[in-house]
Amino acid sequence: MSTPSMAPATSVAPGLWHIAHAGAITSAGTSAWQSAASWVGQQKRFQKKIHPSVGPQAITTAPCPEITAGQTDLPRLARLLGAALADMVSSMTPQNTNPAEAAPSRIALALPERLSDRDGAELWLQALAELGRWAGPGASAALGAVPCHIARGGSTAGFAALQALGTCPRPVEHAPGAAALLMAVDSLLDTTTLQDAYGRGALLTDRHGDGCIASEAAAALWLQAAPDTRDATGRGLVLRPPALAAQATAHRRPQQDPEPGALQEVLRSALAHAGWQADNVGYTVSDFDGSTWRAMAKISARARVAPAWDPIDWEPATAIGQVGAATGPVHWALAAQRVRHDARAPNSILSWALDEGTAAAAVALERTLPTEAAAQRSPSAPSADTGPAAPTYSARFLQNKNQRLQGK
């Protein structure tokens, strides 16, 4: 269970991954099936109080009490991850891909840097036991037979885990339909982590208005290798190859503006992997939470990539808090559900994250196009061609739309 090294932004995992099923646990609820539109009022879940073991000032946190109450350390993470897996399994039927009957060809798990390899192995075993408790022993039997590759880090760990799906030991050919399981879990609410963040002034308090809201979350994504961005529904989401980079200085440097080099690099690389220009991006989803250092890095990097770039920004951290190593996969699970259910679903999304340290990561996600057979079976189904034209569709959607218009 080696931890992958930080790869340059030009190093990518081969092929595309279609998000077939997803589950997640966040402080906004015990199910991934909540779009950003349903987060209004979810800040009532935030808890502001004094933790004597952490410090004298009140801090704001966003726990998942229905899942983690009474749990600490590895059992707390295992409970989160097991619940996210159960949430994913609940959307899978025997007619689709049931993990009790078919195991993925590979598994990758993103964990916080503070955990050792032994901790990661023990956490995976405990999470499988929790999955069995939630969904029955059959749901975990096949998964336990597949080696689990661990990627450790901060907010970019999930991106590294996605990249590792193409570089883990004994990689399986990226053939269409091949399945992989991508998972991530983290809790910033254990006492040691809170004490460290409090000492650095990284938590939101009355004295440190630029701190974050510490939270916890987990996600599980059942991925299928895809040759292109077509599927039967036109309501799926495909992950492009991710881009990761690191710079010499930390992003969070009190009293100093962050260097935007790493973020700029991964934004450019993620766009290049997708074959997009910046104005093809309709939406972004990131770990931005209103903190000054994240805002400065975001503004500087985006200005250098494309000065006139103005996508719609999703910022889950403002509603569910910061979730550390779970950041990327949690955001992708929520985005997949929005694409599946929103009346006007996004076509192109650029996801990015910044560690407090030196790492940055980004990945492009693209809504699938319905196959011709699906369009003929269901001519009234939502498609990229219905409704008024949006100003920023992906290049593939614009090309497809133009081709159909020319053919009429």
Side-chain angles (χ1 to χ4, degrees):
M1 289 194 179
S2 60
T3 302
S5 59
M6 181 62 66
T10 54
S11 176
V12 301
L16 307 175
W17 291 107
H18 174 244
I19 301 175
H21 304 278
I25 300 298
T26 74
S27 62
T30 56
S31 172
W33 315 147
Q34 300 185 44
S35 69
S38 71
W39 292 345
V40 177
Q42 289 295 343
Q43 289 183 349
K44 65 184 180 182
R45 301 296 296 271
F46 292 172
Q47 299 179 1
K48 182 179 180 181
K49 62 181 182 180
I50 295 175
H51 295 252
S53 61
V54 175
Q57 297 183 55
I59 61 175
T60 302
T61 61
C64 301
E66 297 89 347
I67 303 298
T68 60
Q71 302 295 319
T72 60
D73 302 323
L74 286 185
R76 188 183 190 104
L77 295 176
R79 182 68 62 85
L80 283 166
L81 184 55
L85 283 165
D87 196 32
M88 179 193 74
V89 169
S90 69
S91 70
M92 305 167 76
T93 67
Q95 287 73 34
N96 295 313
T97 305
N98 191 325
E101 301 174 0
S105 61
R106 65 194 91 170
I107 297 176
L109 171 60
L111 294 176
E113 188 67 50
R114 63 182 181 273
L115 298 185
S116 65
D117 288 344
R118 176 178 292 184
D119 291 336
E122 178 60 27
L123 170 60
W124 177 226
L125 292 177
Q126 291 186 27
L128 288 174
E130 289 291 339
L131 172 60
R133 188 174 71 86
W134 287 97
S140 59
L143 297 181
V146 181
C148 180
H149 183 84
I150 304 296
R152 295 177 304 192
S155 298
T156 61
F159 298 78
L162 174 62
Q163 188 179 69
L165 288 176
T167 59
C168 58
R170 296 186 301 172
V172 180
E173 181 183 359
H174 193 93
L181 177 60
L182 175 65
M183 304 173 293
V185 63
D186 199 355
S187 175
L188 307 183
L189 301 181
D190 63 90
T191 301
T192 302
T193 301
L194 287 174
Q195 289 173 339
D196 176 68
Y198 185 91
R200 294 184 286 106
L203 296 179
L204 179 63
T205 65
D206 291 338
R207 187 174 298 176
H208 296 99
D210 205 35
C212 77
I213 296 172
S215 186
E216 56 190 356
L221 284 71
W222 189 274
L223 306 178
Q224 290 183 329
D228 53 38
T229 59
R230 293 174 295 176
D231 75 354
T233 67
R235 284 280 180 160
L237 198 60
V238 170
L239 284 158
R240 295 279 184 169
L244 294 95
Q247 59 190 33
T249 59
H251 292 109
R252 185 179 181 276
R253 297 184 297 167
Q255 313 304 322
Q256 297 183 65
D257 292 341
E259 291 291 336
L263 180 57
Q264 175 188 349
E265 182 180 356
V266 297
L267 292 178
R268 289 187 185 278
S269 296
L271 290 171
H273 296 339
W276 297 349
Q277 299 297 319
D279 60 2
N280 296 140
V281 177
Y283 294 78
T284 68
V285 57
S286 72
D287 56 356
F288 180 77
D289 58 4
S291 57
T292 302
W293 67 271
R294 290 184 190 275
M296 294 301 295
K298 167 185 168 181
I299 292 170
S300 299
R302 284 181 22 169
R304 295 182 185 185
V305 173
W309 188 16
D310 188 26
I312 298 172
D313 293 323
W314 294 344
E315 297 163 352
T318 62
I320 63 175
Q322 289 291 350
V323 295
T327 297
V330 164
H331 290 180
W332 307 334
L334 295 171
Q337 194 63 8
R338 287 201 64 172
V339 167
R340 190 169 293 120
H341 293 294
D342 280 12
R344 186 164 175 77
N347 290 319
S348 51
I349 305 169
L350 191 62
S351 169
W352 56 268
L354 283 176
D355 282 344
E356 288 192 8
T358 62
V363 67
L365 300 93
E366 186 164 351
R367 178 181 163 187
T368 57
L369 290 169
T371 59
E372 290 299 326
Q376 293 173 2
R377 288 195 306 269
S378 185
S380 62
S383 73
D385 299 339
T386 60
T392 51
Y393 279 175
S394 73
R396 180 178 292 275
F397 272 79
L398 284 173
Q399 181 182 22
N400 177 268
K401 181 176 181 178
N402 291 336
Q403 288 175 348
R404 291 189 181 182
L405 289 174
Q406 291 171 4
K408 293 180 178 179

